[in-house]
Amino acid sequence: MFIDAWPVAGGSEAVGPEAGVPEAGQREGERGPGAARGGERAAPGRAHAARRPGVLGRLARTGRPTRWVAAAVALLVVLGAGTVWTLRQVDDFGSTSDPDRRAAAGSTWRPWRITLRDAAGLPAPQGDDARMAYCAYGKGALYCAQRGIAAARVELGRGRVTWSTAGPGAGAADGPDRTSDATLKDADAPATEGPGQGGDQEGVPSAPVFAAGLVQTLSPDGTRLTARDPASKRQRWTREVSAYGGRVYRAGDSVLLVAADGTVTSIDAATNRQRWSHRVASHELPVFTAFGAGGRGLAYAVSTAPDGARTRVSAVDPATGDVRWTRTLTGNLTPVGEGANGVVRFAASDIESRTTAVVRYDPARLDERRVPLTAPLHAASVVASDEVVYLLGYDGGLVAVDTRPGAPKAQPWRLETSVSNASPLVAAGDRLYFSAADGRLFAVDGVRGELLGQTPPRPGRAKSGYLDRMPTPVAAEGKVFAAAPDGSVFAVDDRVPSRW
């Protein structure tokens, strides 16, 4: 647990009543074996596993008490506990009339909503200066950036801001702060970039990056990288990176800097010391992608031919610079996920930047499997969860692609969400989360392709020019955190989307 240092004026706003939640270990919308829609069993695999209901869950499905419950009722009556109280307990366990009520009594956490600028004591933004916050999770806390705020540490439980550092836009009296507006290009968040998703909009930060126990930020002009202590916000180190032209990538506890001549330099994210520096064979100017704690600790260097006919991929150990394997694959490919045994999944695009297929490559077997989409998709975001890849289009179409060899259906479902300019997708277990341009947060069942719930809209003031890219939601510790155009950051329970 970090020490909360430098508490800031302002705080959190608890919104709504206590969120009811299902039984411990069970989330809303889960069904027992064989209970999938249409009577079909869910496909095997972690993301698509059918969950076995507990005793209370089976009892709730039958709607009638078992013999031992009836005996317990009789015993309580004999002991004088009172018939009315006894029947109330049986109803709480067995009735399906209010499925959220059972766990509500045992939960003390409440959804919250804060405004970072208010918590930091900054004046309310005016006109085009009104911007959304961009957040990331790191070791028990949320770290957010917003115009005027380089980074702020937010408690997950109450939404209290324990510290913040000022950045450009904090106020008229503030000059440029080269070490503090936060945006580090995160190789752990691979997405098919399109308009509004590239992170290069002037004055719009990206989320701080938590790596090697420190909070990393990059100045908005891409010239200086800074790492701070997450408990005290004290600066640990800073590095000039203007020579790399924004080619700054995070891979585990390393920062990879790619020079204009293709030389790659690896920096220890904890100490700022150089680990190695050399070119990666067969790559003139590589683009790196990594997959965080869920991956195998590798960074994938990708170079695509000018005509998009083939892509050279190399798996690089970011700590040593060793190349584990190299392969030339067909098409214009972007890594989107890494699974068991080092299997990597890619999104394949055509010359019109439409995603046309998902490619599964197994380096151990040298096996390349291509799963075509039923129709090309202008994918705004792509994310993988185990063997399933999810694609969200600019038109709001959400598609699931099963990459398992011998899968009964390559494209199990498609959901029309009617959401344009959506945030990047987030996959957490068997759930998908994304935000709309009006601030709504959506939850989708990744197994059945059904909308589970959404929050109310939180629109901001109309601005001139392009729409800001939508912040990526954060799913951590049983909660979902999101930001909205009204400048707020809010938290909801991930088990009860229907009550959002």
Side-chain angles (χ1 to χ4, degrees):
M1 179 69 69
F2 292 126
I3 300 174
D4 293 332
W6 286 284
V8 185
S12 62
E13 172 189 346
V15 292
E18 280 192 15
V21 296
E23 294 291 342
Q26 181 182 0
R27 299 195 304 184
E28 181 185 68
E30 293 174 351
R31 304 183 181 184
R37 186 175 56 186
E40 298 180 357
R41 289 184 180 272
R46 183 179 62 194
H48 284 213
R51 298 174 183 248
R52 182 183 302 276
V55 174
L56 297 181
R58 293 196 297 273
L59 183 58
R61 283 162 176 75
T62 63
R64 58 180 181 271
T66 60
R67 292 179 180 177
W68 65 267
V69 175
V73 171
L75 178 61
L76 289 173
V77 172
V78 172
L79 294 176
T83 303
V84 174
W85 183 88
T86 304
L87 293 177
R88 174 61 181 273
Q89 297 306 306
V90 173
D91 178 70
D92 279 351
F93 285 157
S95 173
T96 58
S97 60
D98 187 2
D100 292 332
R101 181 179 57 202
R102 294 189 299 272
S107 175
T108 58
W109 184 85
R110 294 173 63 90
W112 52 258
R113 173 184 174 274
I114 64 171
T115 301
L116 286 181
R117 292 183 67 97
D118 289 345
L122 297 175
Q126 301 295 326
D128 286 357
D129 284 337
R131 301 289 189 180
M132 290 178 285
Y134 298 82
C135 302
Y137 172 81
K139 201 172 182 181
L142 203 65
Y143 296 92
C144 301
Q146 192 176 26
R147 183 173 176 84
I149 298 176
R153 183 179 185 272
V154 182
E155 290 182 346
L156 300 185
R158 295 182 295 165
R160 186 170 70 98
V161 176
T162 58
W163 60 254
S164 65
T165 60
D174 294 316
D177 181 353
R178 290 169 58 85
T179 66
S180 27
D181 200 6
T183 121
L184 175 62
K185 193 169 187 178
D186 187 359
D188 283 353
T192 303
E193 292 186 356
Q197 297 289 345
D200 55 357
Q201 293 170 282
E202 183 178 357
V204 180
S206 295
V209 172
F210 191 90
L214 300 177
V215 181
Q216 299 176 357
T217 63
L218 186 70
S219 60
D221 58 3
T223 62
R224 185 163 294 275
L225 181 64
T226 302
R228 297 180 182 275
D229 185 287
S232 66
K233 78 174 180 180
R234 182 174 62 87
Q235 180 177 300
R236 288 289 188 85
W237 56 261
T238 184
R239 173 180 285 262
E240 177 73 24
V241 294
S242 57
Y244 301 98
R247 294 179 293 273
V248 180
Y249 304 93
R250 174 203 166 200
D253 62 355
S254 300
V255 178
L256 301 179
L257 310 173
V258 181
D261 64 355
T263 300
V264 180
T265 301
S266 175
I267 304 300
D268 187 325
T271 64
N272 193 27
R273 293 176 181 173
Q274 179 177 307
R275 286 177 162 168
W276 54 268
S277 183
H278 57 71
R279 294 175 61 93
V280 178
S282 304
H283 293 272
E284 291 187 6
L285 196 65
V287 174
F288 282 94
T289 302
F291 296 102
R296 296 170 61 86
L298 298 176
Y300 295 93
V302 175
S303 299
T304 304
D307 60 359
R310 61 192 182 280
T311 299
R312 188 76 166 171
V313 183
S314 296
V316 180
D317 186 328
T320 65
D322 295 339
V323 176
R324 301 291 180 84
W325 56 262
T326 297
R327 183 77 171 179
T328 299
L329 304 175
T330 303
N332 184 356
L333 306 182
T334 301
V336 297
E338 184 183 45
N341 301 320
V343 174
V344 187
R345 290 156 193 89
F346 301 84
S349 303
D350 61 14
I351 59 174
E352 298 180 12
S353 299
R354 301 177 303 175
T355 301
T356 57
V358 173
V359 176
R360 179 187 190 272
Y361 177 65
D362 186 341
R365 299 175 178 268
L366 302 180
D367 178 53
E368 178 182 348
R369 179 173 184 261
R370 184 172 295 263
V371 184
L373 300 185
T374 56
L377 181 72
H378 284 284
S381 177
V382 185
V383 67
S385 178
D386 200 12
E387 290 279 7
V388 182
V389 175
Y390 302 96
L391 304 96
L392 178 61
Y394 289 117
D395 61 354
L398 179 58
V399 178
V401 178
D402 192 340
T403 65
R404 290 175 300 148
K409 195 171 184 180
Q411 191 169 306
W413 55 261
R414 178 186 175 101
L415 175 66
E416 298 297 338
T417 68
S418 300
V419 175
S420 59
N421 193 41
S423 74
L425 279 172
V426 171
D430 58 1
R431 294 280 176 85
L432 299 172
Y433 303 103
F434 63 95
S435 296
D438 60 3
R440 287 175 295 164
L441 172 66
F442 290 82
V444 174
D445 187 314
V447 178
R448 301 189 297 271
E450 297 175 356
L451 180 65
L452 297 177
Q454 58 182 296
T455 63
R458 294 180 171 92
R461 297 188 182 95
K463 299 189 293 292
S464 60
Y466 293 103
L467 292 173
D468 288 350
R469 55 185 173 83
M470 288 300 299
T472 305
V474 177
E477 300 190 15
K479 311 295 185 292
V480 186
F481 307 88
D486 64 358
S488 66
V489 176
F490 61 93
V492 290
D493 196 300
D494 73 349
R495 290 173 291 179
V496 284
S498 63
R499 293 173 61 94
W500 285 357

